Amino acid sequence: MPELTDKQPSGAEGALTAGCLLLLVLVADAAAGLLVVILLAGRRLGRPDAGSGQTATGVPPLDWAPVLGFGALALAVGVTAVVLLRIGHHVIGAVQLTLCAFLAVHALGYWP
């Protein structure tokens, strides 16, 4: 029967695995954030401008897309952080929680 010490990674392997996992998670978060920004920019480009000869008849309707987009991204990052903390990657989970807090504050900044 093989010993447990043979299956446990060494300190260098554990650090390499944690570093690669951190990089992978941060790249995935950056890609998701870029997707939210592109979608919000596309929505803004499709709106008619107020200076295009059209007169505004009243207050424009509230736009909930930034709140929902950044809020959903913050929720996804927060869930990822909790999962990472539960499996024992405390540093990566703390980075994710910090990013989640930043996104939540950013989403609340768009709150009408």
Side-chain angles (χ1 to χ4, degrees):
M1 182 179 288
E3 295 181 19
L4 285 176
T5 57
D6 293 338
K7 294 190 180 208
Q8 293 178 349
S10 67
E13 284 181 15
L16 180 64
T17 303
C20 289
L21 183 62
L22 175 63
L23 183 65
L24 181 67
V25 167
L26 289 178
V27 167
D29 288 340
L34 185 62
L35 179 66
V36 168
V37 168
I38 288 171
L39 289 175
L40 292 176
R43 284 179 44 90
R44 215 168 276 258
L45 288 176
R47 291 186 182 168
D49 290 335
S52 64
Q54 298 176 354
T55 58
T57 58
V59 177
L62 293 176
D63 188 13
W64 287 95
V67 176
L68 294 176
F70 287 116
L73 185 59
L75 180 66
V77 170
V79 168
T80 305
V82 169
V83 168
L84 287 169
L85 288 171
R86 294 284 303 214
I87 63 174
H89 293 284
H90 299 292
V91 174
I92 303 169
V95 170
Q96 286 291 100
L97 279 177
T98 304
L99 187 60
C100 175
F102 172 74
L103 287 169
V105 167
H106 190 68
L108 289 174
Y110 280 104
W111 191 271

